[in-house]
Amino acid sequence: MASYRVALTGGAGCGKSAAAQVFAECGAVVVDADQIAHELLEPGHAANAAVRAAFGDDIADNEGRILRAPLRARVFADTRARQTLEAILHPPIRELMKQRSEGARPYAVLVIPLLAETGRPPWVNRVLVIDTKPSVQRRRLQDRGLDPASIERLLAIQASPALRRAFADDILENTGSLQALAEGVRALHARYRARATTP
């Protein structure tokens, strides 16, 4: 039986991580693009060497570990720098996501924050967008320690809510409590499991 894959996406502060955790608790196999990116940036990986070659050794420590704060500052401030980083990281991330979700039972949830920006992979069966009100999104990002200027820069480089929603097969509104989000995820889990196990 072919693998059934659900791509989970949404803007910063919309609740992707919380939703992914509930999917995992329900038994879905969760594969996270951000976690893979962290792995690829570790010393010894080709992506680590490519990032240091592109951005200079001042964004790495003496052991070759990428210093994420300086790198983040560079890509926030410079569109071309961000495109360079994405060109290095996105292809291997997508390939590893496909590999790690192969054979997942009952199905896999692929957490891809930049799905609307980078396009839907042909091997994804469904796209789930977690969405929320802009005011709630900003408040959550502020609670994470981001200042207002950083929040606006972050949101400016992400796809608009309208574009993400246009990509969606399913939309889960996350404007209430964590319990409400969990209930919505569990309902979707039942639907995805049924689709994945139907011959």
Side-chain angles (χ1 to χ4, degrees):
M1 186 185 297
S3 301
Y4 194 87
R5 298 176 173 99
V6 177
L8 186 160
T9 193
C14 285
K16 297 182 299 297
S17 297
Q21 182 176 338
V22 180
F23 275 116
E25 291 166 358
C26 289
V29 175
V30 174
V31 183
D32 191 312
D34 283 346
Q35 291 179 0
I36 293 175
H38 286 187
E39 292 176 30
L40 292 174
L41 288 174
E42 287 296 309
H45 288 275
N48 173 286
V51 168
R52 285 189 287 126
F55 292 91
D57 284 330
D58 58 329
I59 53 95
D61 65 16
N62 291 335
E63 296 179 354
R65 291 188 178 85
I66 302 296
L67 301 171
R68 289 189 174 82
L71 180 60
R72 190 179 303 117
R74 290 273 293 276
V75 300
F76 264 13
D78 184 342
T79 299
R80 187 170 296 177
R82 187 177 76 251
Q83 292 170 343
T84 297
L85 181 64
E86 290 172 352
I88 293 169
L89 289 178
H90 286 175
I93 288 173
R94 289 289 176 99
E95 184 57 34
L96 283 171
M97 294 195 91
K98 184 178 181 182
Q99 290 176 16
R100 293 182 184 183
S101 59
E102 192 66 47
R105 296 291 179 268
Y107 66 95
V109 171
L110 312 176
V111 185
I112 309 176
L114 299 180
L115 182 72
E117 293 86 344
T118 58
R120 176 178 180 156
W123 34 268
V124 162
N125 299 90
R126 265 185 110 68
V127 172
L128 166 63
V129 169
I130 310 293
D131 205 2
T132 193
K133 296 176 182 176
S135 59
V136 174
Q137 188 179 15
R138 285 175 170 82
R139 189 186 70 237
R140 289 173 180 160
L141 292 172
Q142 206 161 7
D143 290 344
R144 295 181 190 174
L146 273 70
D147 61 81
S150 296
I151 291 171
E152 296 311 315
R153 283 198 301 271
L154 175 59
L155 297 181
I157 64 174
Q158 294 192 340
S160 68
L163 179 57
R164 278 194 297 271
R165 293 170 81 96
F167 264 77
D169 297 303
D170 302 301
I171 299 171
L172 184 55
E173 302 287 354
N174 179 26
T175 55
S177 65
L178 281 174
Q179 180 179 350
L181 176 66
E183 288 172 358
V185 168
R186 285 192 284 268
L188 286 167
H189 168 71
R191 286 168 49 193
Y192 296 151
R193 182 177 56 192
R195 285 174 179 269
T197 55
T198 299

